[in-house]
């Protein structure tokens, strides 16, 4: 049963997603957990062997999955996001990539012992990082806006160019040695241009069709997915590895058309991307053999990996970012973080076979060399990015941050109370006047609509992982909650009680969790504050118990609590019974 395709495919998907859950549950880098899980069920135990089971379909499935992942990443590359630091991204993607290619090739030849032709090819490939490894790290680390955006853009933009550089180097090698299979460089550049043109044209046509409602809602995402795969297949048929460029350009064009359905498409692609990244990592690592793993511990392999991490990457970034406006701390972080992932593994396998077929025997080391670099960078950068960002003061927030939507007497008091307890707070409202009291108390405020495009691209929401919506309009509250569920998760979104006659399942189905309780809506809470009620906090201990507190404050309205571990509890309706027997701090509205 274990070598049955019907069993292995669902099992691989399950192990991948279970690894993602474990990483989330224990706050560990997901790509590290996935890599370990793949080795456990593959070469260490022999439970699965995808390369043998899938046969010729193995590489095809991997390539199609990478195409979808790259498109999903490029679909988030809106040029408005990089206002003020486009120069940095351009220099890193060009000058930095060129330096990394040359120095990486030198390291591959003199340290790893590869021949110059093989080193030249693999040096181009090793400039890639990619969304499969960068995006999970950025979600984990919560970096500040600028370094996070630069790492994301570099990972997505450079990914297809790394494959193209390796292909370019391969064609040059074949031409110099006059070997069969080579094509002229003119054909190579024309093929790359046609791939980019095809991707851009299809992206524009699909964007127009989506915007003009020429495609029904239920077909938008499925049809777009089919077009991604088709564009990739057509480009790859013209010349191998140009498909990655085509789908990246396609996503980039659609991202900057500012489509009204952009968010829906992005959420759909993100869900697929999580499944694909998890499954592909498991498939690749579980297909390795013990022999390849033994090759990794060769001293030349390890020395090459160290050179790539501590010399090639920092040197290329430091030179490329001269006079770009980046701080020393930002350059240090970006110069360290460069994990390699799926594209490096899959494309190196292709070139290892191709180079050996034309007589370059040192290419047999490429798979082990790539695997060593992938594992080392994934583990080192996965565990160090958060620590280093914190040390360099480039972490947006190391603890809980809360956005409060709707400025009023109650929410202003709540923001002040949270701030006094060390919680990062952003109070947002469409009225400048309603935010006056908050500004006077040094609360971070933002005037505008949280659902607007201005907020999306010009307000940094990265430090905030929880949301409280407390405007005077029930329907708007529910709409905001529903919009942020994909980003924050329903358990981190709260809204005040409905004050209209709408049924309760209206907010249960679409909105967030209840803030305070069902008996006090925002109007009643504001009225109590205007009559003199204030948020007061009291420590509940084994000596001064919850019962004693109620006897002294019979009309207190619990708003939130802080546990002994410093965790904030906003879901007082459902969670408070679990903690009220333990020492904690209770913050209540008391008249």
């Amino acid at each position: 049963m274990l070598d049955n395709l019907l069993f292995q495919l669902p099992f691989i998907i399950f192990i991948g997603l279970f690894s993602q859950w474990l990483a989330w549950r224990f706050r560990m880098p997901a790509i590290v957990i996935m890599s370990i899980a793949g080795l456990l069920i593959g070469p260490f135990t022999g439970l699965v062997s995808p390369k043998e089971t899938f046969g010729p379909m193995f590489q095809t499935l991997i390539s199609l999955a990478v195409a979808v992942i790259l498109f999903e990443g490029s679909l988030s590359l809106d040029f408005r996001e990089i206002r003020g630091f486009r120069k940095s991204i351009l220099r890193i993607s060009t000058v930095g990539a060129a330096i990394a290619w040359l120095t990486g090739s030198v390291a591959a030849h003199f340290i790893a012992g590869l021949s110059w032709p093989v080193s030249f090819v693999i040096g181009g490939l090793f400039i890639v990082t990619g969304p499969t490894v960068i995006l999970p790290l950025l979600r984990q680390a919560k970096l500040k806006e600028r370094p996070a955006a630069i790492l994301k853009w570099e990972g997505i933009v450079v990914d297809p160019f790394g494959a193209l550089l390796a292909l370019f180097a391969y064609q040059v090698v074949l031409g110099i040695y006059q070997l069969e299979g080579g094509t002229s460089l003119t054909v190579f550049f024309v093929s790359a241009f046609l791939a980019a043109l095809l991707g851009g044209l299809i992206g524009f046509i699909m964007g127009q069709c989506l915007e003009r409602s020429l495609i029904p809602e239920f077909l938008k995402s499925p049809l777009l997915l089919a077009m991604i795969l088709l564009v990739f297949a057509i480009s790859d048929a013209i010349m191998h590895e140009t498909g990655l460029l085509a789908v990246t350009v396609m996503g980039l064009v659609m991202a900057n058309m500012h489509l009204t359905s952009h968010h829906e498409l992005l959420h759909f692609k993100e869900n697929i991307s999580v499944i694909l990244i998890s499954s592909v990592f498991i498939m690749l690592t579980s297909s390795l053999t013990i022999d390849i793993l033994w090759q990794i511990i060769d001293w030349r392999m390890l020395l090459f990996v160290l050179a790539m991490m501590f010399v090639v990457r920092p040197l290329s970034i430091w030179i490329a970012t001269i006079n770009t406006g980046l701080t020393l701390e930002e350059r240090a972080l970006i110069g360290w973080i460069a994990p390699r992932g799926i594209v490096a593994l899959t494309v190196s396998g292709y070139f290892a076979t191709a180079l050996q077929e034309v007589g370059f025997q040192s290419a047999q080391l490429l798979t082990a060399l790539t695997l060593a670099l992938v594992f080392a960078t994934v583990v080192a950068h996965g565990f160090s990015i958060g620590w280093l960002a914190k040390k360099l003061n480039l972490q947006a927030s190391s603890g809980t941050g809360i956005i409060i939507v709707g400025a009023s007497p109650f929410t202003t008091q709540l923001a002040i109370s949270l701030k006094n307890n060390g919680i990062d707070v952003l109070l947002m409202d469409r009225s400048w006047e309603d935010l006056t009291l908050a500004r006077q108390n040094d609360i971070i405020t933002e005037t505008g609509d949280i659902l607007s495009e201005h907020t999306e691209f010009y307000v940094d929401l990265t430090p905030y992982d929880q949301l409280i919506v407390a405007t005077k309009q029930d329907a708007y509250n529910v709409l905001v909650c529903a919009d942020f569920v994909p980003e924050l998760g329903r358990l981190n979104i709260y809204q005040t009680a409905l004050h209209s006659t709408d049924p309760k399942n209206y907010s249960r189905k679409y909105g967030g969790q209840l803030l305070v309780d069902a008996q006090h809506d925002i109007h009643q809470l504001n009225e109590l504050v205007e009559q003199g009620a204030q948020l007061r906090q009291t420590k509940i201990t084994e000596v001064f118990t919850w019962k004693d507190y109620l006897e002294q404050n019979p009309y207190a309205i619990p708003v939130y609590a802080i546990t002994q571990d410093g965790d904030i509890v906003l879901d007082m309706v459902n969670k408070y019974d679990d903690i009220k027997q333990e020492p904690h701090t209770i913050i209540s509205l008391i008249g």
Side-chain angles (χ1 to χ4, degrees), residues 126-140:
F126 282 166
I127 69 170
V128 304
T129 51
T132 59
V133 282
I134 281 294
L135 297 183
L137 287 187
L138 295 181
R139 282 194 291 267
Q140 163 203 339

Side-chain angles (χ1 to χ4, degrees), residues 13 34 87 97 126 133 144 219 239 327 375 392 400 410 423 537 550 584:
I13 294 174
M34 289 187 290
K87 182 179 179 182
F126 282 166
V133 282
K144 288 185 177 179
L219 276 180
M239 176 168 278
T327 65
F375 276 146
L392 296 175
T400 299
F410 169 74
I423 308 298
Q537 60 185 61
L550 285 182
H584 64 278

Side-chain angles (χ1 to χ4, degrees), residues 203-225:
F204 179 77
I205 293 174
M206 285 299 297
Q208 289 295 321
C209 290
L210 295 173
E211 199 67 6
R212 298 183 183 185
S213 299
L214 298 178
I215 303 173
E217 290 294 327
F218 73 96
L219 276 180
K220 284 184 176 180
S221 293
L223 187 57
L224 183 58
L225 178 61

Side-chain angles (χ1 to χ4, degrees), residues 511-525:
Q513 299 186 91
L514 193 61
L515 183 73
V516 187
D517 56 42
Q519 288 72 47
H520 294 89
D521 59 43
I522 189 63
H523 295 280
Q524 294 166 327
L525 292 170

Side-chain angles (χ1 to χ4, degrees), residues 237-540:
I238 297 172
M239 176 168 278
H240 200 61
E241 303 304 336
T242 59
L244 298 179
L245 176 64
V247 295
T248 302
V249 173
M250 181 180 171
L252 192 62
V253 168
M254 294 186 68
N256 289 278
M257 292 178 70
H258 309 141
L259 305 174
T260 54
S261 56
H262 180 264
H263 284 286
E264 291 82 358
L265 294 175
L266 195 56
H267 292 324
F268 174 75
K269 293 294 177 296
E270 283 175 348
N271 292 334
I272 292 180
S273 183
V274 169
I275 296 174
L276 292 178
I277 289 174
S278 307
S279 304
V280 168
F281 248 100
I282 298 297
M283 288 176 67
L284 288 172
T285 52
S286 61
S287 296
L288 300 172
T289 64
I290 296 296
D291 292 338
I292 292 178
L293 295 178
W294 274 112
Q295 288 181 351
I296 293 177
I297 61 175
D298 181 84
W299 70 269
R300 302 189 74 168
M301 295 274 187
L302 299 178
L303 194 58
F304 170 77
V305 169
L306 293 175
M308 291 293 292
M309 293 172 61
F310 291 98
V311 179
V312 173
R313 171 66 177 185
L315 180 65
S316 63
I317 294 299
W318 277 85
I319 294 176
T321 55
I322 293 173
N323 295 328
T324 58
L326 297 183
T327 65
L328 293 177
E329 292 79 9
E330 289 171 332
R331 294 169 70 190
L333 180 68
I334 296 168
W336 168 243
I337 301 300
R340 275 63 168 191
I342 291 173
V343 171
L345 279 175
T346 56
V347 178
S348 69
Y350 164 76
F351 285 113
T353 302
L355 286 166
Q356 286 182 77
E357 287 177 351
V358 295
F360 297 105
Q361 293 307 310
S362 65
Q364 64 183 332
L365 298 174
L366 288 189
T367 300
L369 195 66
T370 307
L371 186 63
L373 185 61
V374 168
F375 276 146
T377 54
V378 160
V379 172
H381 300 150
F383 282 108
S384 66
I385 184 172
W387 174 85
L388 183 60
K390 188 175 181 179
K391 289 293 183 182
L392 296 175
N393 195 29
L394 293 176
Q395 202 169 37
S397 174
S398 58
T400 299
I402 299 176
I403 306 169
I404 302 177
V405 180
S408 66
F410 169 74
T411 58
T412 301
Q413 264 210 36
L414 176 59
I416 295 171
S417 174
L418 290 167
K419 179 177 179 288
N420 290 339
N421 281 300
I423 308 298
D424 294 327
V425 182
L426 169 66
L427 182 58
M428 190 165 188
D429 196 277
R430 285 176 283 189
S431 169
W432 170 268
E433 184 179 355
D434 290 347
L435 291 166
T436 301
L437 183 58
R439 287 194 300 273
Q440 292 173 351
N441 284 273
D442 295 325
I443 300 296
I444 300 174
T445 62
E446 185 69 37
T447 305
D449 190 336
I450 195 169
L451 298 178
S452 69
E453 282 195 349
H454 179 275
T455 298
E456 181 178 359
F457 293 105
Y458 296 95
V459 180
D460 184 14
L461 302 182
T462 308
Y464 310 102
D465 52 10
Q466 297 192 56
L467 174 69
I468 296 173
V469 191
T471 73
K472 298 176 183 178
Q473 298 176 329
D474 285 339
Y476 180 76
N477 292 349
V478 172
L479 182 62
V480 172
C481 291
D483 190 71
F484 275 84
V485 163
E487 282 80 17
L488 300 179
R490 196 174 298 277
L491 294 179
N492 293 316
I493 297 175
Y494 303 86
Q495 68 180 101
T496 47
L498 297 174
H499 56 270
S500 65
T501 57
D502 293 312
K504 290 184 178 180
N505 65 359
Y506 173 65
S507 60
R508 181 182 300 175
K509 184 175 180 180
Y510 300 106
Q513 299 186 91
L514 193 61
L515 183 73
V516 187
D517 56 42
Q519 288 72 47
H520 294 89
D521 59 43
I522 189 63
H523 295 280
Q524 294 166 327
L525 292 170
N526 284 331
E527 186 177 345
L528 289 170
V529 172
E530 289 168 352
Q531 291 173 356
Q534 292 185 340
L535 286 174
R536 304 178 188 272
Q537 60 185 61
T538 306
K539 287 190 176 181
I540 304 298

